[in-house]
C-alpha cells in the first residue's frame, strides 16, 4: 500500500509517499513540497496546490491520503486559509478515489515519536530511524508530510477526525 501524507499550507504544502505493504519497515518512496507564489491571489495558489496534488497522485497512484488536520491558530485568518488548502487537497484525493484519513498534529507526533507534544526535531529524528534514512527529509514541510503518511501505517487503529464525529452505536468502542 502506498500512502500519500500531506502537511497542508498555502505557501508550502509538504508531501511524502511511504510504502508499507512489504515485509519489514515502511519505505520512503518520495517527498517534497509544492510551493506557491506569495504575491498571487489565493484562488491561483489553491489551483497550484490542486494541480500539484493531482500530478503526484497520477504519477504514483497512492491508495490512501493521510492529511494533517487544521491546527487552531491565534490568527483566525491563518486557520481559515489553511482550511482552503486542505479543501482542495481533499477534493483532489476524493476525485482520484483515495481513502482519506485526517490526523491532528498531536496524533501524528504520538504515532511517530510516542509523545503528542514531541518537538519537530524529535519527529525528524524518528523518521530517519523508522524509515532507515541517512538524513532527515527536507525541507521540514516535506518531513511533516512523511510523518503524516507514516502515521497511517503505524497507527491504523487511531481514531480519525471523521470517526470521532460519528455518533457511537451502543456497545461500540472508538477505534474499532
Amino acid at each position: 500500500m502506498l500512502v500519500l501524507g500531506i502537511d497542508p499550507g498555502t505557501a508550502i504544502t509538504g508531501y511524502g509517499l511511504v510504502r508499507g505493504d512489504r515485509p519489514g519497515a515502511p519505505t520512503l518512496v518520495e517527498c517534497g513540497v509544492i510551493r506557491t507564489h506569495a504575491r498571487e491571489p489565493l484562488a491561483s495558489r489553491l489551483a497550484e496546490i490542486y494541480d500539484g496534488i493531482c500530478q503526484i497522485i497520477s504519477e504514483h497512484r497512492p491508495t490512501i491520503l493521510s492529511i494533517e488536520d487544521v491546527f487552531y491558530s491565534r490568527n483566525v485568518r491563518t486557520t481559515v486559509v489553511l482550511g482552503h488548502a486542505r479543501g482542495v487537497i481533499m477534493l483532489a484525493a476524493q476525485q482520484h478515489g483515495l481513502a482519506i484519513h485526517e490526523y491532528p498534529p498531536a496524533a501524528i507526533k504520538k504515532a511517530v515519536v510516542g509523545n503528542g507534544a514531541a518537538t519537530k526535531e524529535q519527529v525528524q529524528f524518528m523518521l530517519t530511524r523508522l524509515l532507515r534514512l541517512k538524513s532527515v527529509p527536507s525541507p521540514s514541510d516535506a518531513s511533516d508530510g512523511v510523518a503524516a503518511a507514516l502515521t497511517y501505517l503505524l497507527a491504523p487503529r487511531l481514531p480519525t477526525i471523521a470517526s470521532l464525529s460519528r455518533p457511537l452505536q451502543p456497545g461500540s468502542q472508538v477505534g474499532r
Side-chain angles (χ1 to χ4, degrees), residues 2-6 13-19 26-34 52-53 55-62 127 131 133 137-139 141-147 149-150:
L2 184 59
V3 180
L4 171 59
I6 299 286
T13 293
Y15 72 91
L17 289 147
V18 179
R19 185 171 307 284
T27 56
L28 179 63
V29 174
E30 179 181 303
C31 66
V33 295
I34 300 167
I53 296 297
Q55 182 179 348
I56 293 164
I57 293 171
S58 294
E59 183 178 333
H60 294 282
R61 307 252 185 247
L127 288 177
L131 295 170
L133 304 173
S138 67
D141 300 283
S143 66
D144 291 346
V146 173
L150 202 52

Side-chain angles (χ1 to χ4, degrees), residues 82-127:
L82 179 60
H84 292 319
R86 283 175 31 83
V88 299
I89 293 164
M90 293 171 71
L91 173 62
Q94 180 66 36
Q95 289 179 334
H96 285 86
L98 277 68
I100 300 169
H101 296 268
E102 303 172 67
Y103 298 100
I108 292 172
K109 292 174 182 179
K110 184 158 181 66
V112 175
V113 178
N115 177 356
T119 65
K120 187 173 284 286
E121 292 77 19
Q122 289 171 320
V123 172
Q124 291 173 342
F125 174 81
M126 287 305 296
L127 288 177

Side-chain angles (χ1 to χ4, degrees), residues 2-86:
L2 184 59
V3 180
L4 171 59
I6 299 286
D7 175 37
T10 54
I12 302 172
T13 293
Y15 72 91
L17 289 147
V18 179
R19 185 171 307 284
D21 56 356
R22 296 190 178 126
T27 56
L28 179 63
V29 174
E30 179 181 303
C31 66
V33 295
I34 300 167
R35 292 183 193 275
T36 64
H37 304 286
R39 294 177 193 232
E40 293 291 321
L42 178 60
S44 296
R45 296 170 84 181
L46 294 174
E48 286 182 56
I49 294 166
Y50 175 84
D51 291 343
I53 296 297
C54 287
Q55 182 179 348
I56 293 164
I57 293 171
S58 294
E59 183 178 333
H60 294 282
R61 307 252 185 247
T63 55
I64 306 290
L65 172 73
S66 180
I67 187 168
E68 185 174 299
D69 197 14
V70 175
F71 66 91
Y72 299 96
S73 170
R74 289 185 182 152
N75 183 340
V76 174
R77 182 175 172 9
T78 300
T79 303
V80 171
V81 171
L82 179 60
H84 292 319
R86 283 175 31 83

